[in-house]
Amino acid sequence: GLPWCGHCKKLAPDFETAATRLKGTVPLAKVDCTASPDTCGRFGVTGYPTLKIFRNGEDSSSYDGPRSADGIVHFMKKQAGPNSVTLRREADLEAFVNHFDASVVGFFSGPDSGQLAEFLKAASVMREHFRFAHTIDMTLGLKHGVDTERVLLFRPPRLSSKFEESVLRFTETITTHTLRRFIRDNIFGMCPHLTNENRDKLKGQDLLTAYYDLDYLQNPKGSNYWRNRVMKVGSQFASQGLSFAVANRRDFVDELEEEFGLGASDGGDLPFVTIRTRQGFKYTMREEFTRDGKSLERFLEDYFAGRLKRYIKSEPIPEKNKGPVKVVVAESFEEIVNDPEKDVLIEFYAPWCGHCKSLEPKYKELAEQLYSDPNIVIAKMDATANDVPQGFDVFPTIYFAQAGKKDQPKRYEGAHEVKDFIKYLKGEALHVPVVSGVREDL
């Protein structure tokens, strides 16, 4: 790291805490790149802070795990020890699978088994993501019906449920590729526990999540009470392309407020249910979550029938909007920006953004110069207080939506002087811009 780097300062206390907790398991070390530029140069460090994992004195991989103390401890504990744990007795197997996370266990006929070699190769590649163990005593697998060389996936006991199998059999020939695909397709089961660690893997699909006071360490029974309700109803809609999850509300307080407008104290003890599709469409269950699951059933029936209104985070539509720069909110986006008759330049800004503030007077001047032109709209929207539609990805930024081509917004990449904007609009707008009431011929 660097002494003056903000991200390094932010990481420092978590890194120290993690180092203390990992003492004796994994040593954590730090290098000040202003004091030791050669060391940092030798390992190709260009950004700060950079975290690397060393094994046996070699730079083994970059650390891409979480940056919180808990996250670092959890991640680095997985790094320590063998790629796959050797199990000798039945008690070893019991202890290994009785874990917070899922377990992948291989049963092999002897130390020279070709499939064991493949299994260990796969474990060395995937050890950061999954837990592996193996045995060469086939009798350990008898109670799980293992009679030939076989790999079993044990889902975590805390998530066991009558709605699905807790142990899954992998029946193909073992390669890293086939095993990875099998684990990826089956590890989560029908209704996983969504956390900050696995969220990226789960968010790429249409996902219903029930958020409540879920705590598998202190209250596993209560945590499964609502999860079983979700699974019971979910199993009726299993093959329709929607995935299900449960999550601890406290882990996602900021996101629920940011994305769904849910205050920390809203909703009481009952689960708060959301659906988020892979296109980014959002829905929330308005009815209270009933213990018989009927309200969830109605919510899902309405979702699949296309009867639900999308949840859109929006500021209220302004009563007066007569200024030169039109104020757009999520609720009025369709009407103003996607008006097929108009050429629209829209700035997505954030209240905290410095260069948005420096753009403001020039953007206003541009709008004043084009104010008398009925065909061109100069607009702005606070991207932190309103949902930004698909196709407008990044902010702070400016986009142009041409009349008649609203499905192809273009990002404005030009300079930020008034004359640059006008030149751009002359080239791109369907209607020739009328500047200050006088039509300029090009």
Side-chain angles (χ1 to χ4, degrees):
L2 296 176
W4 44 260
C5 130
H7 289 291
C8 305
K9 283 195 183 116
K10 187 167 177 255
L11 172 67
D14 281 296
F15 197 71
E16 297 286 340
T17 308
T20 312
R21 281 170 52 189
L22 286 167
K23 217 176 186 140
T25 315
V26 183
L28 300 192
K30 60 182 182 179
V31 179
D32 175 351
C33 289
T34 49
S36 320
D38 297 352
T39 308
C40 295
R42 191 162 85 238
F43 294 108
V45 174
T46 53
Y48 309 98
T50 293
L51 300 170
K52 286 183 174 290
I53 296 170
F54 283 75
R55 279 185 213 284
N56 311 323
E58 298 288 317
D59 178 0
S60 149
S61 65
S62 66
Y63 172 90
D64 55 4
R67 299 277 172 112
S68 63
D70 282 346
I72 295 169
V73 170
H74 188 66
F75 192 96
M76 291 311 293
K77 272 189 178 160
K78 285 188 189 166
Q79 302 294 320
N83 296 330
S84 174
V85 176
T86 308
L87 308 174
R88 294 191 170 79
R89 297 182 304 282
E90 198 162 302
D92 299 344
L93 173 62
E94 297 282 321
F96 185 76
V97 302
N98 189 15
H99 192 275
F100 196 79
D101 293 318
S103 313
V104 182
V105 182
F107 300 84
F108 301 100
S109 54
D112 303 325
S113 156
Q115 285 287 278
L116 171 59
E118 282 296 328
F119 181 83
L120 294 175
K121 197 158 57 177
S124 74
V125 177
M126 296 188 275
R127 62 169 293 158
E128 288 182 19
H129 305 290
F130 310 112
R131 303 172 60 250
F132 293 91
H134 63 278
T135 182
I136 50 174
D137 179 352
M138 292 290 291
T139 60
L140 264 56
L142 285 175
K143 65 187 275 192
H144 298 290
V146 172
D147 46 11
T148 67
E149 291 197 320
R150 170 79 26 105
V151 175
L152 298 182
L153 169 63
F154 292 83
R155 294 197 177 122
R158 66 190 171 98
L159 297 179
S160 80
S161 147
K162 63 178 185 207
F163 295 105
E164 65 182 352
E165 298 292 326
S166 298
V167 183
L168 286 97
R169 311 157 73 91
F170 173 69
T171 50
E172 298 170 64
T173 306
I174 300 172
T175 66
T176 302
H177 175 70
T178 56
L179 193 56
R180 177 188 279 131
R181 195 176 57 210
F182 168 75
I183 298 171
R184 203 183 52 216
D185 291 350
N186 293 288
I187 191 156
F188 287 128
M190 200 180 121
C191 185
H193 171 194
L194 174 77
T195 63
N196 280 307
E197 267 74 53
N198 66 22
R199 59 182 298 169
D200 292 340
K201 295 194 186 82
L202 290 169
K203 288 279 169 91
Q205 50 195 345
D206 297 350
L207 183 67
L208 175 144
T209 310
Y211 297 90
Y212 54 96
D213 189 8
L214 173 146
D215 185 341
Y216 275 105
L217 297 173
Q218 306 297 325
N219 184 7
K221 200 164 173 230
S223 297
N224 277 333
Y225 177 86
W226 291 114
R227 179 172 175 266
N228 283 330
R229 300 292 178 282
V230 173
M231 291 176 84
K232 185 180 175 192
V233 176
S235 57
Q236 301 166 36
F237 297 89
S239 54
Q240 300 192 33
L242 182 65
S243 302
F244 297 87
V246 289
N248 183 353
R249 263 176 72 154
R250 286 188 301 275
D251 291 345
F252 295 98
V253 169
D254 294 348
E255 185 173 314
L256 286 171
E257 188 164 353
E258 180 67 21
E259 298 273 317
F260 291 98
L262 182 78
S265 57
D266 295 351
D269 297 336
L270 297 174
F272 178 69
V273 177
T274 70
I275 293 178
R276 193 195 179 96
T277 69
R278 55 163 74 80
Q279 291 145 295
F281 294 170
K282 300 184 297 191
Y283 305 90
T284 61
M285 184 164 117
R286 298 255 174 256
E287 207 183 328
E288 261 193 7
F289 198 126
T290 53
R291 290 172 193 278
D292 60 7
K294 289 292 181 216
S295 61
L296 181 61
E297 209 173 300
R298 284 191 287 274
F299 177 63
L300 284 167
E301 280 166 0
D302 288 345
Y303 169 73
F304 286 113
R307 288 192 290 263
L308 290 184
K309 190 173 183 297
R310 276 168 52 197
Y311 174 82
I312 296 178
K313 182 175 76 164
S314 179
E315 294 178 292
I317 295 178
E319 285 176 24
K320 293 193 177 71
N321 204 356
K322 290 276 184 260
V325 178
K326 285 277 166 280
V327 176
V328 175
V329 299
E331 295 280 6
S332 64
F333 192 93
E334 191 57 32
E335 184 193 338
I336 298 176
V337 181
N338 288 339
D339 180 340
E341 307 292 312
K342 305 256 167 92
D343 290 303
V344 182
L345 192 68
I346 179 161
E347 178 203 9
F348 296 100
Y349 69 93
W352 44 256
C353 144
H355 58 253
C356 303
K357 287 195 178 74
S358 56
L359 167 67
E360 203 168 333
K362 296 171 190 167
Y363 200 67
K364 192 172 173 211
E365 189 187 327
L366 168 71
E368 282 165 352
Q369 290 200 19
L370 295 169
Y371 191 63
S372 59
D373 185 331
N375 299 313
I376 291 194
V377 176
I378 307 299
K380 66 176 183 179
M381 175 160 118
D382 179 346
T384 62
N386 296 279
D387 279 341
V388 176
Q390 289 293 104
F392 300 86
D393 288 332
V394 263
F395 78 92
T397 186
I398 297 172
Y399 273 89
F400 176 67
Q402 190 191 0
K405 285 196 184 165
K406 295 300 176 178
D407 56 339
Q408 301 161 19
K410 292 182 182 169
R411 194 171 164 189
Y412 175 76
E413 307 278 10
H416 284 182
E417 296 299 331
V418 176
K419 63 177 195 317
D420 302 309
F421 285 119
I422 287 184
K423 187 177 168 196
Y424 174 84
L425 289 170
K426 283 180 176 172
E428 295 286 341
L430 185 65
H431 311 280
V432 180
V434 178
V435 179
S436 300
V438 182
R439 183 176 284 282
E440 289 194 2
D441 289 307
L442 302 180

